[in-house]
Amino acid sequence: MPVAGLTAQAAERLIAQRYQEKYLQDPQVSLFIKEFTTQRVAIEGAVIRPGIYPVTGQLTLLRALALSGGFAPYADINQIVVYRHGSSGAREQFTYDLDKVRAGQEKDPNIRSDDVIVVQRNARRTALRDSLFSDILSTLNPFK
């Protein structure tokens, strides 16, 4: 019986339910996980520490982004994209506005194993940073 992606308690309930359907009246199931594969999430884009992080427990978008050390100065927190493999195997894409999530206007979405979170760059901030004007200011700045 496949139990991938379930917590140990959810797997116990599922197994007990299946036994109760055909074999036992009141099955008591205890599950001991001897070995498991590490679940991971990838965070990349305009964050301080992009990388692959282990998923432990329930992970939400805000918690996942905290793992990456916060945002780079040119991050666009209104354009955070989560890529996920759907149940049919097709790749799904969800875009979140972190200001709305923080304000409680949108739900803090759950992050699943193998999700890829991309923090987009703010085009205006990036253009200013890469502009000739920025180069001139950096050259004239005596404190750098």
Side-chain angles (χ1 to χ4, degrees):
M1 163 182 329
V3 294
L6 297 177
T7 65
Q9 294 82 11
E12 287 174 353
R13 286 192 299 272
L14 179 63
I15 293 168
Q17 179 185 18
R18 294 283 173 91
Y19 270 122
Q20 191 170 12
E21 288 173 358
K22 295 183 180 179
Y23 305 107
L24 303 172
Q25 288 183 354
D26 186 25
Q28 302 296 312
V29 176
S30 293
L31 185 63
F32 175 75
I33 300 172
K34 182 176 177 183
E35 183 178 321
F36 60 92
T37 57
T38 303
Q39 297 181 338
R40 298 174 299 270
V41 61
I43 305 171
E44 68 105 20
V47 293
I48 302 296
R49 289 188 310 268
I52 298 174
Y53 295 90
V55 174
T56 54
Q58 185 159 353
L59 190 64
T60 64
L61 181 61
L62 288 174
R63 289 179 182 163
L65 292 170
L67 291 172
S68 67
F71 301 105
Y74 48 86
D76 184 356
I77 63 171
N78 302 54
Q79 291 290 316
I80 298 179
V81 182
V82 176
Y83 295 99
R84 172 177 296 156
H85 291 289
S87 56
S88 65
R91 189 173 184 182
E92 300 175 344
Q93 174 181 330
F94 307 94
T95 304
Y96 298 98
D97 181 338
L98 205 60
D99 282 334
K100 290 182 180 178
V101 171
R102 286 176 172 162
Q105 297 170 351
E106 290 182 9
K107 182 179 178 253
D108 187 9
N110 288 326
I111 299 300
R112 299 181 192 162
S113 179
D114 293 328
D115 280 357
V116 177
I117 301 169
V118 180
V119 178
Q120 301 294 328
R121 295 173 182 227
N122 183 308
R124 282 188 240 148
R125 287 183 183 172
T126 304
L128 178 62
R129 186 195 66 168
D130 295 339
S131 71
L132 180 61
F133 180 70
S134 175
D135 291 342
I136 292 169
L137 285 179
S138 294
T139 304
L140 297 176
N141 186 356
F143 300 108
K144 271 212 160 184

